[in-house]
Amino acid sequence: QVQLVESGGGLVQAGGSLRLSCAASGIIFRINGMGWYRQAPGKQRELVASITSGSSTNYADSVKGRFTISRDNAKNTVYLQMNSLKPEDTAVYYCNADVNTYTNSRDYWGQGTQVTVSS
């Protein structure tokens, strides 16, 4: 069984920074793409940023220039550095990973971590 565990959320003032981490554990053969999504109250879950196994990245327009996604393959961990935070960044942030185990290949999700940005 693969688990994704997020950490690093919290309350921050507008203009501040937070760093989210998401560590995958279990019997893992390979992790392909990884990403961060967020869901604000009353809104659909949206992609924030993604990173391939080769470290190519993709960002939502709303976070370009402010957020940076990175990964440490040796630790099976993905990070999201969030700078210049805005109140509209307030949401539950979820990590996602496309994982190959020795028996299957599927997407896994973390439990979510709350990010609240006060104005």
Side-chain angles (χ1 to χ4, degrees), residues 10-115:
L11 173 64
V12 65
Q13 288 189 331
S17 298
L18 284 174
R19 189 192 195 209
L20 305 183
S21 300
C22 172
S25 63
I27 302 175
I28 296 169
F29 175 68
R30 174 186 171 89
I31 300 179
N32 302 305
M34 305 182 82
W36 288 95
Y37 290 72
R38 66 187 180 188
Q39 187 166 18
K43 294 187 176 181
Q44 289 190 329
R45 191 173 297 190
E46 63 175 358
L47 175 67
V48 176
S50 63
I51 185 167
T52 68
S53 57
S55 294
S56 294
T57 58
N58 180 56
Y59 296 92
D61 288 343
S62 60
V63 307
K64 282 180 181 177
R66 300 188 298 122
F67 291 10
T68 301
I69 189 171
S70 61
R71 64 189 286 174
D72 184 334
N73 291 329
K75 296 181 179 179
N76 288 336
T77 299
V78 63
Y79 306 96
L80 186 68
Q81 177 66 43
M82 304 185 294
N83 298 329
S84 302
L85 282 160
K86 303 175 181 180
E88 50 264 44
D89 295 317
T90 295
V92 178
Y93 284 70
Y94 299 90
C95 74
N96 170 272
D98 176 15
V99 179
N100 299 142
T101 67
Y102 290 93
T103 56
N104 66 20
S105 176
R106 52 161 283 193
D107 275 353
Y108 289 86
W109 291 89
Q111 80 284 358
T113 185
Q114 177 70 46
V115 171

